[in-house]
C-alpha cells in the first residue's frame, strides 16, 4: 500500500484528483488549510507525523488573480515561501520518496524568447504584477533541486498553463480570468443583462488547460517523470481572450452585447509556452478542447449556483 498525500487537496486541482479513482494498492489523503496550516512549521511536522506518506502531491499555495497578487505581494511571497519550505523540508525528513510540486507558467521571466522553455525559468524578472508569488514559486524549484543534489531526492516540478474548471475560485477580484468570465456570463444570462463589458480588446493569446487534464498529468508524473528539470504541462494550442468570451456566450446561450473597454489595458499579448519536453517525456494524453472545457465549466457553475466558491 502506498500512501499519497495531497496538500491543497480541497482546491480546484485537489478536487479534480479526488474524482480520480485510486489504483489498487494506493491510498490517497487530501488535506486543506482546515486540517493543517502549512505556513506553520509545527503544523507541517504534525501532518507528516500523522499521515506518514510515501508520496506527496504538493498543491497547497496562496493562489489569486492579478489584483490580489498586485496589491498584496508580501502576503503571496511570505505564505508561499513558508508553505513550500516547510513541506519540502519535512518531506525529506520523513523520507518521502517522491514529491510532485506545482509551479506555474506565470512565474517565467516577463522579457523572454518564445516559445518559453523550462530552462528560462530563472533568466529574468517575472512580471511586476506577480513577482511575490513568482519568486516564492521559483524557490520551490530551487529547493527541489538542492534536495536532489545533496540527498538524491526525486522531487519534481510541473509547470501548468492557466488552469480552469469546476471548483475554481469564482470571486471576481481574487479569481482567475476564466472563472470570472464563466461567472459573468452565467450571471448575465440568468439576470437577462443586456450587455457585458470586458477589459481590453480581446486580442491577447493564452494557453488554457482543463483541470481534469492537469489531474491526469499529475498522476502520470508520479510514476513516469523523474527529471531534475521542471516540466511544462498543458494544452499547447492558444486561444484569444475574445474566442473564450464567445465560447462562454455560446455555452450559456447569451445573446446580449459584448463590449470591449479599450481604454483599459490588454495585458501581455502572449505568453506561449513550449510543450516539447512533455511530449519527449512520453506524455500522450489528449487535452480537452477549450470550447468543451468552457462548456463543462459553465454547466458546473449553473448546476451548483449559488453554492460555488468565491460568491
Ligand atoms: P486553489 O486555490 O483552488 O487551492 C489551493 C489549496 O491550497 C487550497 O486547498 C487551500 O486550502 C490550500 N492552502 C492555501 N493556503 C494554505 C495554508 N496556509 N495551509 C494549508 N493549505 C493551504 O488552487 P488550485 O487548485 O487552482 O492550484 C493548485 C496548484 O496549482 C497551486 O500550487 C497553484 O499555484 C498551481 N497553479 C494553479 C494555476 C491556476 O490557474 N489555478 C495555474 C498554474 C499553477 P483551503 O481550501 O482550506 O483554503
Amino acid at each position: 500500500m502506498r500512501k499519497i498525500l495531497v496538500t491543497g487537496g480541497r482546491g480546484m486541482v485537489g478536487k479534480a484528483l479526488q474524482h480520480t479513482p485510486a489504483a489498487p494498492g494506493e491510498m490517497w489523503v487530501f488535506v486543506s488549510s482546515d486540517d493543517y496550516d502549512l505556513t506553520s512549521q509545527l503544523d507541517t511536522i504534525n501532518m507528516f507525523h500523522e499521515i506518514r506518506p510515501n508520496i506527496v502531491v504538493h498543491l497547497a499555495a496562496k493562489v489569486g488573480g492579478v489584483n490580489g497578487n498586485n496589491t498584496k505581494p508580501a502576503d503571496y511571497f511570505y505564505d508561499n515561501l513558508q508553505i513550500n519550505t516547510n513541506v519540502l523540508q519535512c518531506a525529506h525528513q520523513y523520507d518521502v520518496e517522491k514529491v510532485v510540486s506545482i509551479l506555474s507558467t506565470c512565474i517565467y521571466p516577463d522579457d523572454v524568447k518564445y516559445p518559453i522553455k523550462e530552462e528560462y525559468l530563472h533568466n529574468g524578472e517575472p512580471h511586476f504584477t506577480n513577482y511575490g508569488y513568482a519568486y516564492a514559486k521559483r524557490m520551490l524549484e530551487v529547493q527541489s533541486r538542492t534536495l536532489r543534489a545533496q540527498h538524491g531526492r526525486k522531487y519534481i516540478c510541473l509547470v501548468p498553463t492557466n488552469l480552469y474548471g469546476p471548483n475554481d475560485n469564482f470571486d471576481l477580484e481574487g479569481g482567475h480570468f476564466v472563472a470570472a468570465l464563466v461567472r459573468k456570463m452565467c450571471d448575465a444570462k440568468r439576470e437577462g443583462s443586456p450587455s457585458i463589458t470586458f477589459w481590453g480588446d480581446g486580442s491577447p493569446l493564452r494557453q488554457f488547460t482543463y483541470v481534469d487534464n492537469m489531474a491526469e498529468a499529475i498522476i502520470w508524473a508520479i510514476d513516469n517523470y523523474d527529471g531534475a528539470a521542471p516540466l511544462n504541462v498543458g494544452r499547447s494550442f492558444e486561444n484569444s481572450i475574445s474566442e473564450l468570451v464567445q465560447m462562454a456566450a455560446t455555452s450559456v446561450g447569451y445573446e446580449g452585447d459584448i463590449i470591449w473597454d479599450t481604454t483599459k489595458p490588454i495585458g501581455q499579448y502572449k505568453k506561449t509556452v513550449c510543450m516539447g519536453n512533455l511530449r519527449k517525456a512520453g506524455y500522450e494524453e489528449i487535452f480537452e478542447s477549450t470550447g468543451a472545457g468552457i462548456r463543462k465549466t459553465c454547466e458546473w457553475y449553473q448546476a451548483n449556483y449559488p453554492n460555488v466558491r468565491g460568491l
Side-chain angles (χ1 to χ4, degrees), residues 205-224:
L205 300 172
R206 294 289 182 270
Q207 290 158 308
F208 295 95
T209 303
Y210 188 60
V211 67
D212 286 4
N213 295 148
M214 187 60 210
E216 287 156 7
I218 289 170
I219 290 166
W220 166 84
I222 289 174
D223 289 317
N224 296 288

Side-chain angles (χ1 to χ4, degrees), residues 7-15 31-40 58-64 79-80 83-84 101-106 133 137 140 158-164 167-169 176 211 214 309:
T7 70
R10 288 176 213 141
M12 175 174 68
V13 179
K15 289 245 170 76
V31 297
S32 78
S33 63
D34 293 340
D35 308 302
Y36 306 97
D37 175 6
L38 300 176
T39 61
S40 150
H58 176 37
L59 306 176
K62 184 174 176 65
V63 177
D79 281 13
N80 285 312
I83 291 172
N84 297 336
S101 294
I102 311 296
L103 311 181
S104 169
T105 54
C106 72
Y133 173 84
K137 282 276 187 191
L140 183 51
L158 304 181
V159 196
T161 65
N162 301 276
L163 302 174
Y164 69 97
N167 299 300
D168 206 342
N169 177 5
H176 290 119
V211 67
M214 187 60 210
R309 181 174 157 209

Side-chain angles (χ1 to χ4, degrees), residues 10 19 36 50 71 84 131 173 176 214 218 254 275 287:
R10 288 176 213 141
H19 296 140
Y36 306 97
E50 286 161 17
T71 53
N84 297 336
Y131 69 97
E173 294 297 314
H176 290 119
M214 187 60 210
I218 289 170
Y254 179 73
M275 297 297 169
F287 289 94

Side-chain angles (χ1 to χ4, degrees), residues 16 30 34 86 90 100 145 168 175 201 206 229 239 272 276 288:
F30 296 88
D34 293 340
N86 289 336
C90 280
V100 180
R145 202 163 8 121
D168 206 342
D201 62 4
R206 294 289 182 270
N239 289 107
T272 321
E288 193 78 77

Side-chain angles (χ1 to χ4, degrees), residues 35-61:
D35 308 302
Y36 306 97
D37 175 6
L38 300 176
T39 61
S40 150
Q41 192 183 33
L42 189 60
D43 261 23
T44 312
I45 292 170
N46 286 340
M47 176 179 79
F48 278 87
H49 191 74
E50 286 161 17
I51 297 173
R52 305 270 172 173
N54 307 99
I55 292 167
V56 172
V57 175
H58 176 37
L59 306 176

